[in-house]
Amino acid sequence: MQFHLNGFRPGDPDLKEAAPRDARPLDVLIVGAGPAGLTLAAYLSGFPEIRTAIVERRSGPMEKGQADGVSCRSMEMFQCFGFAERVMREAYWVNEATFWKPDPDAPDRIVRTGRVQDVEDGLSEMPHVILNQARVHDMYLDVMRSSPTRLEPLYGRSVTGLEVEDDAVSVTLDHAGRAESVRARYVVGCDGARSTVRGAIGRKLVGQAAHQAWGVMDLLLDTDFPDIRFKSLIQSADEGTVLVIPREGGYLVRLYVELDALNPEERVSHRNLEVTDLISAANRILAPYSIEAAEVVWWSVYEIGQRMTDAFDDAAGGDDRAPRVFIAGDACHTHSPKAGQGMNVSMGDGFNLAWKLVSVLRGQADPSLLKSYSRERRAVAKALIDFDEEWARLMSAPPGSRSQSKLQHYFAQHGRYTAGVSVRYEPSDVILADDAAPLARGFSTGMRLHSAPVIRLADGRPMQIGHVQRTDARWLLLAFAPAGPPSAQRDALARLCDALACEGGLLDAITPEGADIDAALDVRAVLQCHHTELAITDMPRLLFPRKGRLGLRDYEKVFCPDPRAGDIFEMRGLDREAGCMVLVRPDQYVAGVLPLGDVARLSTFLTGILTG
Ligand code: FAD
């Protein structure tokens, strides 16, 4: 963690200096303080030059219920926000999953039939964890409170309508029965499955309901079921399916319980189900084991439905206009909770949109950049819905059927998917074509930067290369040095740095006037030699730059392999002879792999997005 750049400040470095408040017009209005809205709000809160407001219909922060699965990919994103360690400390870690089925000799009793590792080795440096959505909200709220803008949700305000004008959006709100109106340059509807914003821009959720009722309950309980602290999928012969999700704190457990199939016109609310119905159903499925609830913390019943909208913004198809209104999270895609993706994909939407809005609002990118949000995130939602349909179908398949026996296999096969690391954005104006892939076989263009261990040159600290990114909307260029004596590696990097930082070069073109040299593109390097073979003072200026008000040197831009944890050149299939450059977007996705000297292509690509 770097701080004191602009002079010594005592106290908690996470608590940023508050920016003066002003009465400029609103840049971004976020509607809804769920996972999607809070991800976006927490990101924007770090930029005092952008005026953001977030309104929420509820009267205060959420306390319990709803989603709880946090994928490895979301943890990587939390690392960028700076609270992954807190989540790791507090959450339940999903290490293994177990599978239970009817005993072939006594089908009214369940037996354990399988046990699988939850996340394959090396998939991410982050674990798959379970933590209540309300606590995830709290983490974001803490980031916002400590940010320069001290952003807080405005609770008790419900958006009732909006109108898109030429240069802004006019929004009407209900605040304790009083109508209010606000104008903002951009509006983002993160207002859940019954989104008002979605309706106001004429988008509709389209898809299917599976007519299958499910119950979910968070319990403190007493049980003789031996796998209650494992994620367990239990399929009974005739009574349906239970999914056990152990929860944070060591005592709390969530049970998803399959209830009856619904008639085509029937809603689950018509059944007037009580939590006692859910507990009875769970006991029938778990026989010969049983549960006894000591405290019901939260419960709900719902129907599975997979739906999405045809676009995630207000720019109609074929229309060249840049969007003004966006929808994110459940407002534009809904799916069953059992694949554990609802919160994760919603946060991913917010993260994708955040850096694009920052770049546009700071005047560093053209508003047309915003069109990529709907295109990229709709493809992710579509893949999720396809996965979820298959998963829900297998879970509700009749006992003994072929589909039911495929469940364990499907779970293991799709581990990367549920870990959230299989998202791949297609080549576009924000993703390069994948033609230099052999230079870095372990970094896939369009996919998230798969972090690897390194040692920092200046202080010998072992760390993860991916952890250098922060929620600051900067692009990252990782330059991997070619083989050779240490001085030759340094010289190869120096030539690259000269080409990047020369007068009229790429950094000149994209770095805002008067800003630090790494304000738009953060160039970092990884050498192949041992970290004792070179000193940070040997490095070119761009890799040891002067920054900030006091012109202090940045010591944290150069790394070497960590032989004890694994050599990053081996682990990520990097071409040792040639070296290469890996360009990473502000949202941790690899925008492209390039030959080490190809500054011309890098410049053409980046100046097509960033204007400086
Ligand atoms: P939400 O979390 O729904 O947040 C939307 C927010 O917008 C809400 O806080 C809402 O109050 C606010 N809002 C709505 N309309 C307005 C308005 N007009 N003006 C201002 N604010 C507004 N997922 C699981 O994985 N497991 C579960 O067990 C599970 N259970 C769920 C139970 C319920 C009752 C619900 C609603 C969802 C559940 N989900 C579950 C889904 C999961 O919570 C969502 O996928 C995830 O929260 C989506 O995040 P979001 O930010 O898009 O929307």
Side-chain angles (χ1 to χ4, degrees), residues 306-325:
Q306 289 94 2
R307 299 162 200 254
M308 63 188 284
T309 56
D310 57 348
F312 293 2
D313 62 32
D314 68 322
D319 185 348
D320 232 21
R321 183 177 59 89
R324 288 247 163 237
V325 182

Side-chain angles (χ1 to χ4, degrees), residues 31-37 55-58 66-68 133 157-159 190-192 196 216 254 256 298 300 328-331 337 342-343 346:
V31 186
V55 291
E56 165 57 50
R57 184 166 56 191
R58 287 190 312 257
Q66 299 198 199
D68 56 8
Q133 183 174 331
R157 286 157 175 92
S158 189
V159 165
C190 304
D191 49 346
T196 305
V216 53
R254 170 166 290 192
Y256 287 104
W298 175 82
S300 172
D330 278 12
M343 174 161 66
S346 301

Side-chain angles (χ1 to χ4, degrees), residues 363-561:
Q364 287 177 284
D366 186 82
S368 58
L369 171 64
L370 299 172
K371 289 186 191 177
S372 63
Y373 164 72
S374 175
R375 187 181 64 233
E376 291 191 333
R377 294 309 293 178
R378 194 175 181 281
V380 171
K382 173 78 177 69
L384 168 59
I385 281 174
D386 293 346
F387 170 79
D388 190 46
E389 269 172 5
E390 182 64 4
W391 184 237
R393 192 182 64 75
L394 293 177
M395 277 187 77
S396 298
S401 66
R402 279 193 57 211
S403 297
Q404 200 199 35
S405 62
K406 280 197 212 153
L407 201 59
Q408 184 177 335
H409 178 68
Y410 193 78
F411 177 89
Q413 204 185 17
H414 289 78
R416 283 170 183 243
Y417 190 85
T418 42
V421 298
S422 63
V423 169
R424 182 195 291 272
Y425 297 133
E426 292 300 318
S428 68
D429 44 357
V430 277
I431 296 285
L432 277 159
D434 197 11
D435 42 15
L439 292 174
R441 289 186 309 281
F443 290 125
S444 303
T445 299
M447 301 182 84
R448 83 12 162 150
L449 179 78
H450 188 180
S451 186
V454 286
I455 286 195
R456 201 157 56 199
L457 179 78
D459 60 356
R461 176 178 166 155
M463 58 178 287
Q464 287 284 331
I465 192 71
H467 295 188
V468 299
Q469 281 194 286
R470 289 284 162 266
T471 49
D472 54 16
R474 292 188 303 161
W475 291 67
L476 170 67
L477 183 70
L478 293 175
F480 291 92
S487 59
Q489 294 182 31
R490 190 257 335 268
D491 292 348
L493 293 174
R495 284 192 292 279
L496 170 68
C497 291
D498 285 348
L500 290 168
C502 65
E503 212 179 313
L506 173 62
L507 292 178
D508 241 8
I510 62 173
T511 310
E513 185 90 31
D516 285 335
I517 189 70
D518 60 358
L521 179 65
D522 181 15
V523 181
R524 307 214 182 204
V526 186
L527 297 153
Q528 295 195 32
C529 57
H530 195 266
H531 72 275
T532 53
E533 292 182 272
L534 282 171
I536 188 69
T537 44
D538 299 329
M539 289 298 130
R541 248 174 7 132
L542 186 59
L543 294 174
F544 186 38
R546 289 195 181 280
K547 289 166 50 177
R549 191 170 61 83
L550 304 174
L552 300 180
R553 294 278 201 179
D554 185 337
Y555 286 85
E556 304 199 354
K557 301 243 183 232
V558 187
F559 305 86
C560 296

Side-chain angles (χ1 to χ4, degrees), residues 18 54 99 112 143 280 466-467 483 524:
I54 172 166
F99 294 83
R112 190 192 297 113
V143 169
S280 302
H467 295 188
R524 307 214 182 204

